[in-house]
Amino acid sequence: MYLESPRYTERFGSVRINDIQKVVALDSGLKSEIPPHGAMGVVKICEDTIKDFEDKMAIVIPIKNEKLKLFEGVISGIPHDCLIIVVSNSQKEPVDRFRMEKDTLNQMCRYTYRSAYIVHQKDARVGEAMKQAGYTELVDENSLVRNGKAEGMVIGLLMAKLAGKEYVGFVDADNYSPGSILEYVRIFAAGFSMAKSPYSMVRILWHYKPKFSGGMYFRKWGRVSETTNKCFNSLISSRTGFETNIIKTGNAGEHAMSLKLAELLPYASGYAVEPQELVSIFEQFGGSLPSGPADVVRYGLDLFQIETRNPHLHEDKGTEHLGGMLLAGLSTIYHSPLCDEETKQLIISQLTIQKAMKPKQEPPKPHINRPPCKVHIGEFVKHMEPHLETCSALYED
Ligand code: GDD
Ligand code: MG
């Protein structure tokens, strides 16, 4: 794979925020004709390097009642050496969609000789293991994990830890293009290979997100992401005193982290999760507030934003859904102790203009699940390990 080299990096405390790097070519061949780093502003990421990182990576797919055909396509796009972890919150009655997902995954794993896990978000054993770990805010009054994509992600990343992986990536299940899934994961691997620190994150920016209305329109920026990025940049500018537009992936659902970093971050409920990750990175490592672990301050944190070649084609879930997503995302910035008055006003005006909130209201505080490092991960592992085999896609019950 050829990527633009990280030509521009902005620093925010210990965080190195790299500006967008585009994928120049999806494949770079076997012959090493250019030096591995530095030629012509382009980095060559060798196939072996990509494969090495894929082998250390788990890909978590959160899914809730998506079309089976889409799910089937998504899993077919995940590189063979990655461990697939599906966390499903799909219905079991009257139609058992979870069963259908399990069967689909089982078939793919049998035919292609690979392993995968699939677990239901409402599996009582998972809820119990979370409770034993002290993750009280993640479970409801019935001792089951709460609803939400973020909650599914937490299950997935703890399973990745249990499976001994070093990196965890997230891809949605409602993607129409298996080839773009392959690209996302290759980008994750490429990003990690460029990191200098063991604490790293790769966030995907889609080349285009086409809209269908009669013909096809290759739209680049969605309204939600444009606004979220604007508010993030306002927050950074207010802290550094220099206006910036460095953040371009505030909402990136497709993203990946080293597990070392994943364990340090809190996970806000539902769709607030991705913006909250960035907010927390800036809070813990941005230098304005008391710092996070000394190790991160020493090594720094590498944040990559990489733009795909493939367009992003996913299910359209309607405008109401987008309003909720905007509100959830901006509330994480609004309620951060880092947020200045000007950014707060910007958030309120954007939410009101876009009718995501009524005038004269404040965005609600997000529900935050503590970072895994603050709970007893060991207890989760102890309680889940005996059930791991039954979560395997190859397990026949
Ligand atoms: N396990 C689980 N539990 N999965 C869920 C749940 C849940 O409660 N709710 C939704 N999902 C799954 C969906 O099935 C899908 O695979 C994925 O999470 C994303 O949900 P969508 O409802 O499709 O979200 P979106 O497409 O509007 O937004 C996506 O892109 C945004 C912008 O990049 C999400 O990834 C957002 O988190 C992201 O901010
Ligand atoms: Mg979607």
Side-chain angles (χ1 to χ4, degrees), residues 175 180-188 206 254 308 312:
N175 198 305
S180 61
I181 300 288
L182 177 71
E183 184 186 14
Y184 297 153
V185 180
R186 288 172 66 82
I187 288 178
F188 294 159
W206 308 314
E254 268 67 32
T308 61
H312 185 76

Side-chain angles (χ1 to χ4, degrees), residues 61-66 87-89 121 146-153 171-174 206 209 251-254 270-271 273-275 312 314-315 317 321-322 325:
I61 310 173
I63 181 167
K64 186 174 181 183
N65 300 329
E66 301 294 353
V87 183
S88 172
N89 198 11
Q121 193 152 333
R146 292 159 52 111
N147 290 325
K149 178 190 161 185
E151 285 67 13
M153 286 168 58
V171 299
D172 290 348
D174 61 342
W206 308 314
K209 191 171 165 186
N251 288 101
E254 268 67 32
Y271 298 109
V273 62
E274 292 93 3
H312 185 76
H314 76 142
E315 280 283 271
K317 292 185 176 146
H321 176 73
L322 292 182
M325 186 173 284

Side-chain angles (χ1 to χ4, degrees), residues 125-136 139 375-380 382-383:
R125 299 168 304 179
V126 178
E128 184 56 30
M130 290 296 185
K131 239 176 113 177
Q132 294 298 333
Y135 236 142
T136 42
V139 289
V375 304
H376 304 288
I377 304 180
E379 285 297 308
F380 174 84
K382 198 170 105 191
H383 285 82

Side-chain angles (χ1 to χ4, degrees), residues 170-314:
F170 302 96
V171 299
D172 290 348
D174 61 342
N175 198 305
Y176 277 91
S177 159
S180 61
I181 300 288
L182 177 71
E183 184 186 14
Y184 297 153
V185 180
R186 288 172 66 82
I187 288 178
F188 294 159
F192 292 133
S193 79
M194 292 183 295
K196 298 186 194 87
S197 162
Y199 302 92
S200 53
M201 178 181 269
V202 184
R203 297 172 81 93
I204 301 269
L205 174 69
W206 308 314
H207 197 178
Y208 297 107
K209 191 171 165 186
K211 293 273 165 234
F212 305 89
S213 50
M216 202 197 274
Y217 177 65
F218 284 85
R219 192 172 169 160
K220 183 148 184 85
W221 297 101
R223 219 179 23 175
V224 174
S225 52
E226 207 166 2
T227 314
T228 310
N229 293 337
K230 193 169 165 181
C231 295
F232 263 117
N233 287 318
S234 163
L235 178 132
I236 296 181
S237 308
S238 80
R239 288 283 156 181
T240 60
F242 291 88
E243 209 165 272
T244 183
N245 66 350
I246 190 81
I247 298 295
K248 300 190 176 77
T249 55
N251 288 101
E254 268 67 32
H255 67 292
M257 290 176 260
S258 60
L259 263 166
K260 277 188 139 191
L261 173 59
E263 283 175 33
L264 299 179
L265 299 181
Y267 297 91
S269 212
Y271 298 109
V273 62
E274 292 93 3
Q276 180 65 52
E277 287 168 5
L278 273 190
V279 167
S280 302
I281 285 177
F282 297 146
E283 285 175 2
Q284 289 192 49
F285 313 113
S288 312
L289 302 174
S291 286
D295 215 27
V296 191
V297 178
R298 181 150 63 103
Y299 290 111
L301 190 156
D302 293 303
L303 186 64
F304 295 98
Q305 307 181 89
I306 304 182
E307 186 182 294
T308 61
R309 276 282 136 194
N310 280 284
H312 185 76
L313 294 164
H314 76 142

Side-chain angles (χ1 to χ4, degrees), residues 3 37 43-46 49-50 53 167 187-196 200 202 304:
L3 286 185
H37 286 285
V43 196
K44 173 177 172 164
I45 319 282
C46 302
T49 308
I50 291 182
F53 280 93
Y167 298 94
I187 288 178
F188 294 159
F192 292 133
S193 79
M194 292 183 295
K196 298 186 194 87
S200 53
V202 184
F304 295 98

